[in-house]
Amino acid sequence: MAETTPDLLPLETVLHIRDTCLCLAAQRAARRLARRFDTVLRPFGLTNGQFSLMVALNQPEPPPMGRLAPFLAMDPSTLTAAVKPLARRGLLVVEPDPQDRRSRRLRITPDGVALMRQAAEVWRVAHAEIDAALPPEVPDALRIGLGQVAALPVSAA
Amino acid sequence: MAETTPDLLPLETVLHIRDTCLCLAAQRAARRLARRFDTVLRPFGLTNGQFSLMVALNQPEPPPMGRLAPFLAMDPSTLTAAVKPLARRGLLVVEPDPQDRRSRRLRITPDGVALMRQAAEVWRVAHAEIDAALPPEVPDALRIGLGQVAALPVSAA
DNA sequence: GTCGTTTACTTTGATATCAAACTAACATGG
DNA sequence: CCATGTTAGTTTGATATCAAAGTAAACGAC
């Protein structure tokens, strides 16, 4: 009787991690939501992340990248990369800040606004479907909890 | 007085999306958690996603990729790519299933088990820190809510 | 048996993600 | 001034992510 399987971690450890790890739970839920929004936004050539970024640009003053990255909880270099396809399509323009030439502000263009008007409507429909598919108390509970997780410090106290 | 800003979306629309979009909230929280676990797992050369995958391999029967992808809510092609660096390091081996040669099972190696024994301990510490940093009712509420989101169908009903 | 269909996975091409190292510009102490 | 330190973004290299198209094997109807 050949030994084909190496020793494993204790089963209880594995089940404990699988059932309690918030990182895994968040990744799974985030992927599922991302795929749903990617699907409905595909007619506009936008991904869920591009949509969220474009929403954040709807401010009277074009926000500098240094404010957007923390808001989206993403690395500055990720934002640099994310801007490129949107700028290439003319949905936003990158403007150096005259007051501080290190800083770059992202300004949504009229084309970007026009696209987002339509995209916001399909967002509304898709989000209503998700809200309706969850038990009524879940969406708000998630907003509160996810907000507190996003507000956690990057490293341990 | 030059017009420098194009028309924007209605402010109330933007604020509504920003404050209620579960997709954005999940992405932000997932990124924050991912970065924290990436940090503590870095000494082992593992990312949070690699850790979750390796945890899932601790089964008496090596699971086929076709079961792992849905469990992790990821695309099969993403799993194919994720396996490569782990196989290259000898932490797992890919075994064609003799019963169905289309199917491939992922078997954790003794090296993989040894690494995961250590990694599981830092996971425990890091996760306890996160639990402690959140209001006491939040972690369980998130587990429930995130589980229900992950269980949503990929496309709308 | 064999042809069409379905299933399991891979490949390709594009974007997403971050760490580390880098550049440019501001800021400040001397 | 200017030398030093800090801040804002970018680049590079690696992995992560998915859609679309492709390959190979199993299945099912006939």
Side-chain angles (χ1 to χ4, degrees):
Chain A
M1 203 149 67
E3 199 48 77
T4 57
T5 304
D7 286 339
L8 299 174
L9 303 184
L11 186 57
E12 64 178 17
T13 299
V14 172
L15 296 181
H16 176 64
I17 295 176
R18 184 183 305 181
D19 294 341
T20 63
C21 186
L22 288 176
C23 188
L24 173 56
Q27 296 291 338
R28 292 203 291 179
R31 286 192 200 107
R32 188 71 77 207
L33 290 172
R35 203 179 306 186
R36 287 186 68 130
F37 281 98
D38 285 349
T39 299
V40 300
L41 292 170
R42 190 163 316 133
F44 308 107
L46 292 175
T47 64
N48 74 93
Q50 291 173 333
F51 175 81
S52 295
L53 174 54
M54 292 292 288
V55 167
L57 302 190
N58 277 273
Q59 302 180 23
E61 270 309 288
M65 296 177 65
R67 261 217 313 273
L68 289 168
F71 170 69
L72 299 167
M74 65 169 52
D75 192 88
S77 61
T78 303
L79 184 55
T80 295
V83 161
K84 290 182 181 175
L86 298 172
R88 204 186 306 142
R89 290 174 59 191
L91 302 178
L92 58 80
V93 292
V94 181
E95 300 183 344
D97 187 326
Q99 254 58 57
D100 181 348
R101 280 175 302 167
R102 294 170 301 180
S103 179
R104 290 164 174 249
R105 293 175 179 272
L106 302 185
R107 183 188 297 273
I108 191 169
T109 63
D111 275 3
V113 172
L115 190 71
M116 289 303 289
R117 267 191 235 284
Q118 302 175 268
E121 178 57 18
V122 308
W123 174 88
R124 201 185 56 71
V125 173
H127 209 282
E129 285 171 353
I130 290 168
D131 275 343
L134 294 170
E137 74 283 3
V138 165
D140 277 341
L142 280 175
R143 286 182 192 104
I144 293 170
L146 293 172
Q148 275 164 340
V149 169
L152 286 175
V154 173
S155 55
Chain B
M1 200 149 70
E3 199 48 78
T4 57
T5 303
D7 285 339
L8 300 174
L9 302 185
L11 186 57
E12 64 178 16
T13 300
V14 172
L15 296 180
H16 176 65
I17 295 176
R18 184 183 306 181
D19 293 342
T20 64
C21 185
L22 288 175
C23 188
L24 172 56
Q27 297 290 339
R28 291 203 292 178
R31 286 192 200 108
R32 187 71 78 206
L33 290 172
R35 203 178 307 185
R36 286 186 70 129
F37 280 98
D38 285 350
T39 299
V40 300
L41 292 170
R42 192 164 313 135
F44 308 108
L46 292 175
T47 63
N48 74 93
Q50 292 173 333
F51 175 81
S52 296
L53 174 55
M54 293 291 289
V55 166
L57 302 190
N58 277 273
Q59 303 181 21
E61 270 309 288
M65 294 177 66
R67 258 214 320 270
L68 289 169
F71 169 69
L72 299 167
M74 65 169 53
D75 193 85
S77 61
T78 303
L79 185 55
T80 295
V83 161
K84 289 181 180 175
L86 298 172
R88 203 185 306 142
R89 289 174 60 191
L91 302 178
L92 59 80
V93 291
V94 182
E95 299 182 345
D97 186 326
Q99 253 59 56
D100 181 346
R101 278 174 304 168
R102 294 170 302 180
S103 180
R104 289 164 174 250
R105 292 176 178 271
L106 302 185
R107 183 187 296 275
I108 191 169
T109 63
D111 275 4
V113 173
L115 190 70
M116 289 303 289
R117 266 191 235 285
Q118 303 175 267
E121 178 57 18
V122 309
W123 174 88
R124 199 186 57 71
V125 173
H127 209 283
E129 284 170 354
I130 290 168
D131 275 342
L134 295 170
E137 74 283 2
V138 165
D140 277 340
L142 279 175
R143 286 182 192 104
I144 293 170
L146 292 173
Q148 277 164 338
V149 169
L152 287 175
V154 173
S155 53

